[in-house]
Amino acid sequence: MRLINCHRCSTLMAANAPRCPLCGCRNEELEQGRQERRRLFVMLTLLLLTYALFLAFKLELISAQGVLDLVSILRQG
């Protein structure tokens, strides 16, 4: 088991503990890992959607105006 120091109170805690046992603050290492995975998931999803849109355009399943309409809808919300 790997031990780390709490960034707020310097208490030793397990590296996989979600919160510090003394002060209750969140484990920054775990939080950074979650944010990185979330960011990676969003980037991969956008890449997949872009590729699907490109393929639909190349296979002539959607026109250039359709692509522009879809992009404007995605930008709105």
Side-chain angles (χ1 to χ4, degrees), residues 19-38:
R19 295 190 176 270
C20 172
L22 185 64
C23 68
C25 68
R26 287 183 178 256
N27 183 343
E28 282 188 346
E29 285 186 14
L30 286 179
E31 192 62 34
Q32 284 177 349
R34 282 188 201 107
Q35 288 175 356
E36 288 173 9
R37 285 190 302 273
R38 192 176 306 130

Side-chain angles (χ1 to χ4, degrees), residues 2 6 18 24 32-33 48 61 65 70 74:
R2 203 175 109 223
C6 172
Q32 284 177 349
L48 182 63
L61 300 175
Q65 186 59 45
L70 186 58
L74 291 174

